[in-house]
Amino acid sequence: MDTISIQLQLTRHSGTDNFSVEEQMLIKAAHEALSSAYAPYSQFQVGAALLLEDGSIVKGSNQENAAYPSGLCAERVAFFSAGSQHPGKKIMAAAVTTSYPMEHPISPCGACRQVMAEYELKQQTPIKLLLCSHDGSVIVVNNSRDLLPLYFSGEWLKK
Ligand code: THU
Protein backbone atom coordinates (compact mmCIF):
# COMPACT_ATOMS: atom_id res chain seq x y z
CA MET A 1 0.00 0.00 0.00
CA ASP A 2 1.19 3.51 -0.81
CA THR A 3 0.07 6.54 1.11
CA ILE A 4 0.14 9.64 -0.99
CA SER A 5 -0.17 13.09 0.57
CA ILE A 6 -1.25 16.01 -1.49
CA GLN A 7 -0.21 19.49 -0.44
CA LEU A 8 -1.93 22.72 -1.31
CA GLN A 9 0.12 25.89 -1.09
CA LEU A 10 -1.72 29.14 -0.75
CA THR A 11 -1.06 32.53 0.74
CA ARG A 12 -3.48 34.61 2.77
CA HIS A 13 -3.33 38.39 2.63
CA SER A 14 -5.17 40.76 4.92
CA GLY A 15 -5.51 43.31 2.10
CA THR A 16 -4.41 44.04 -1.44
CA ASP A 17 -1.60 46.55 -0.75
CA ASN A 18 1.09 44.16 -1.97
CA PHE A 19 -0.79 43.19 -5.11
CA SER A 20 0.05 44.50 -8.57
CA VAL A 21 -2.09 47.30 -10.02
CA GLU A 22 -3.55 44.79 -12.50
CA GLU A 23 -4.50 42.41 -9.70
CA GLN A 24 -6.12 45.21 -7.73
CA MET A 25 -8.10 46.17 -10.82
CA LEU A 26 -9.09 42.55 -11.27
CA ILE A 27 -10.46 42.35 -7.75
CA LYS A 28 -12.37 45.59 -8.31
CA ALA A 29 -13.82 44.13 -11.51
CA ALA A 30 -14.95 41.00 -9.63
CA HIS A 31 -16.74 43.24 -7.12
CA GLU A 32 -18.33 45.18 -9.98
CA ALA A 33 -19.53 41.93 -11.54
CA LEU A 34 -21.67 41.31 -8.45
CA SER A 35 -24.18 43.84 -9.74
CA SER A 36 -25.04 41.59 -12.70
CA ALA A 37 -25.53 38.44 -10.59
CA TYR A 38 -28.93 36.85 -11.02
CA ALA A 39 -29.45 34.95 -7.79
CA PRO A 40 -33.12 35.24 -6.82
CA TYR A 41 -33.18 31.72 -5.36
CA SER A 42 -30.05 31.61 -3.22
CA GLN A 43 -29.57 35.37 -2.69
CA PHE A 44 -25.88 34.48 -2.87
CA GLN A 45 -24.31 36.80 -5.41
CA VAL A 46 -20.92 35.87 -6.82
CA GLY A 47 -18.69 37.99 -9.05
CA ALA A 48 -15.70 36.79 -11.05
CA ALA A 49 -13.19 38.58 -13.25
CA LEU A 50 -10.45 37.17 -15.45
CA LEU A 51 -7.28 38.94 -16.52
CA LEU A 52 -6.29 38.00 -20.07
CA GLU A 53 -2.76 38.11 -21.46
CA ASP A 54 -3.45 41.34 -23.37
CA GLY A 55 -4.52 43.07 -20.15
CA SER A 56 -8.24 42.94 -20.89
CA ILE A 57 -10.69 41.83 -18.23
CA VAL A 58 -13.66 39.48 -18.67
CA LYS A 59 -16.34 39.55 -16.00
CA GLY A 60 -18.89 36.94 -14.99
CA SER A 61 -21.53 36.53 -12.32
CA ASN A 62 -23.71 33.66 -11.21
CA GLN A 63 -26.86 33.16 -13.24
CA GLU A 64 -29.53 31.09 -11.57
CA ASN A 65 -32.64 29.49 -13.01
CA ALA A 66 -35.95 28.23 -11.64
CA ALA A 67 -34.82 24.82 -12.90
CA TYR A 68 -31.95 24.98 -10.40
CA PRO A 69 -29.30 22.83 -12.14
CA SER A 70 -29.64 24.97 -15.28
CA GLY A 71 -27.98 27.88 -13.49
CA LEU A 72 -24.26 28.52 -13.68
CA CYS A 73 -21.60 29.76 -11.24
CA ALA A 74 -19.86 33.09 -11.79
CA GLU A 75 -16.51 31.42 -12.46
CA ARG A 76 -17.83 29.25 -15.29
CA VAL A 77 -19.77 32.16 -16.79
CA ALA A 78 -16.49 34.12 -16.86
CA PHE A 79 -14.31 31.26 -18.14
CA PHE A 80 -16.75 30.25 -20.87
CA SER A 81 -17.14 33.90 -21.91
CA ALA A 82 -13.38 34.26 -22.19
CA GLY A 83 -13.13 30.95 -24.07
CA SER A 84 -15.81 31.96 -26.55
CA GLN A 85 -15.21 35.70 -26.89
CA HIS A 86 -11.39 35.65 -26.72
CA PRO A 87 -10.33 32.26 -28.03
CA GLY A 88 -6.59 31.68 -27.87
CA LYS A 89 -5.91 34.43 -25.33
CA LYS A 90 -4.33 33.12 -22.18
CA ILE A 91 -6.02 33.68 -18.84
CA MET A 92 -3.44 34.97 -16.40
CA ALA A 93 -5.52 35.32 -13.23
CA ALA A 94 -9.04 35.08 -11.88
CA ALA A 95 -10.58 36.97 -8.96
CA VAL A 96 -13.74 35.72 -7.27
CA THR A 97 -15.86 37.49 -4.69
CA THR A 98 -19.27 37.42 -3.04
CA SER A 99 -21.43 40.04 -1.40
CA TYR A 100 -22.44 37.47 1.18
CA PRO A 101 -20.82 38.24 4.56
CA MET A 102 -18.83 35.02 4.90
CA GLU A 103 -15.94 34.74 7.31
CA HIS A 104 -13.83 32.89 4.77
CA PRO A 105 -12.92 33.81 1.21
CA ILE A 106 -15.19 32.30 -1.39
CA SER A 107 -13.97 28.98 -2.71
CA PRO A 108 -14.94 27.70 -6.17
CA CYS A 109 -17.17 24.61 -6.37
CA GLY A 110 -15.88 21.34 -7.76
CA ALA A 111 -17.36 21.83 -11.23
CA CYS A 112 -15.69 25.23 -11.56
CA ARG A 113 -12.38 23.75 -10.39
CA GLN A 114 -12.62 21.12 -13.10
CA VAL A 115 -13.30 23.79 -15.73
CA MET A 116 -10.42 25.98 -14.53
CA ALA A 117 -8.08 22.99 -14.49
CA GLU A 118 -8.84 22.27 -18.13
CA TYR A 119 -8.33 25.88 -19.27
CA GLU A 120 -5.01 25.87 -17.46
CA LEU A 121 -4.00 22.60 -19.06
CA LYS A 122 -5.05 23.88 -22.49
CA GLN A 123 -3.02 27.09 -22.30
CA GLN A 124 -0.08 25.42 -20.52
CA THR A 125 0.47 28.33 -18.14
CA PRO A 126 -0.84 28.78 -14.60
CA ILE A 127 -4.00 30.66 -13.77
CA LYS A 128 -3.56 32.50 -10.48
CA LEU A 129 -6.65 32.61 -8.30
CA LEU A 130 -7.50 35.52 -6.01
CA LEU A 131 -10.26 34.39 -3.67
CA CYS A 132 -11.73 37.40 -1.93
CA SER A 133 -13.38 37.72 1.42
CA HIS A 134 -15.97 40.15 2.66
CA ASP A 135 -13.48 41.68 5.10
CA GLY A 136 -11.00 42.53 2.32
CA SER A 137 -8.66 39.59 2.86
CA VAL A 138 -7.61 37.51 -0.12
CA ILE A 139 -6.37 33.95 -0.51
CA VAL A 140 -4.00 33.46 -3.42
CA VAL A 141 -3.56 30.12 -5.17
CA ASN A 142 -0.80 30.34 -7.78
CA ASN A 143 -2.03 27.48 -9.89
CA SER A 144 -5.77 26.85 -10.18
CA ARG A 145 -5.19 23.15 -10.85
CA ASP A 146 -3.88 22.78 -7.31
CA LEU A 147 -7.44 23.19 -6.07
CA LEU A 148 -8.52 19.96 -7.73
CA PRO A 149 -6.08 17.12 -7.25
CA LEU A 150 -6.86 14.16 -9.50
CA TYR A 151 -8.99 16.32 -11.81
CA PHE A 152 -10.45 14.48 -14.77
CA SER A 153 -8.31 14.93 -17.87
CA GLY A 154 -9.38 14.88 -21.50
CA GLU A 155 -6.20 12.89 -22.18
CA TRP A 156 -8.08 9.81 -21.14
CA LEU A 157 -10.73 10.33 -23.79
CA LYS A 158 -8.29 10.11 -26.69
CA LYS A 159 -7.72 6.37 -26.57
N1 THU B 1 -21.74 30.00 -6.76
C1 THU B 1 -20.85 30.60 -7.61
O1 THU B 1 -21.24 31.33 -8.53
N2 THU B 1 -19.54 30.38 -7.39
C2 THU B 1 -19.02 29.69 -6.36
O2 THU B 1 -17.80 29.60 -6.23
C3 THU B 1 -19.92 29.03 -5.40
C4 THU B 1 -21.36 29.12 -5.69
C5 THU B 1 -23.16 30.29 -6.95
C6 THU B 1 -24.02 29.19 -7.49
C7 THU B 1 -25.38 29.61 -6.99
O3 THU B 1 -25.93 30.56 -7.89
C8 THU B 1 -25.10 30.30 -5.67
O4 THU B 1 -23.73 30.66 -5.71
C9 THU B 1 -25.36 29.45 -4.45
O5 THU B 1 -24.76 28.22 -4.56
Side-chain angles (χ1 to χ4, degrees):
M1 188 189 79
D2 288 339
T3 303
I4 300 166
S5 325
I6 297 173
Q7 281 197 331
L8 169 64
Q9 286 230 333
L10 43 83
T11 52
R12 200 172 50 191
H13 306 252
S14 55
T16 57
D17 290 352
N18 297 326
F19 288 31
S20 70
V21 174
E22 275 183 329
E23 286 169 349
Q24 292 186 16
M25 277 173 53
L26 191 65
I27 290 173
K28 192 165 168 270
H31 285 297
E32 286 165 5
L34 287 172
S35 63
S36 66
Y38 176 61
Y41 305 106
S42 71
Q43 309 296 335
F44 189 90
Q45 285 99 1
V46 184
L50 310 185
L51 175 67
L52 306 188
E53 60 182 335
D54 63 357
S56 57
I57 286 179
V58 175
K59 294 182 197 173
S61 55
N62 55 332
Q63 301 296 316
E64 297 185 350
N65 192 277
Y68 292 176
S70 305
L72 207 59
C73 293
E75 294 91 323
R76 273 176 289 162
V77 169
F79 274 80
F80 292 151
S81 297
S84 58
Q85 304 295 317
H86 304 273
K89 279 190 205 162
K90 286 187 179 180
I91 300 164
M92 311 308 289
V96 191
T97 191
T98 175
S99 55
Y100 199 80
M102 304 200 304
E103 276 175 32
H104 304 287
I106 182 145
S107 186
C109 77
C112 290
R113 293 177 193 208
Q114 173 69 31
V115 166
M116 294 189 286
E118 181 146 342
Y119 274 89
E120 202 173 71
L121 204 61
K122 184 173 146 220
Q123 68 182 33
Q124 295 188 326
T125 53
I127 299 173
K128 187 175 184 177
L129 295 184
L130 309 172
L131 307 176
C132 305
S133 183
H134 196 248
D135 65 3
S137 61
V138 182
I139 279 185
V140 177
V141 184
N142 280 323
N143 200 312
S144 77
R145 246 185 296 171
D146 290 351
L147 276 189
L148 189 62
L150 307 182
Y151 59 85
F152 184 76
S153 165
E155 286 295 303
W156 303 321
L157 299 174
K158 289 178 187 152
K159 304 223 163 90

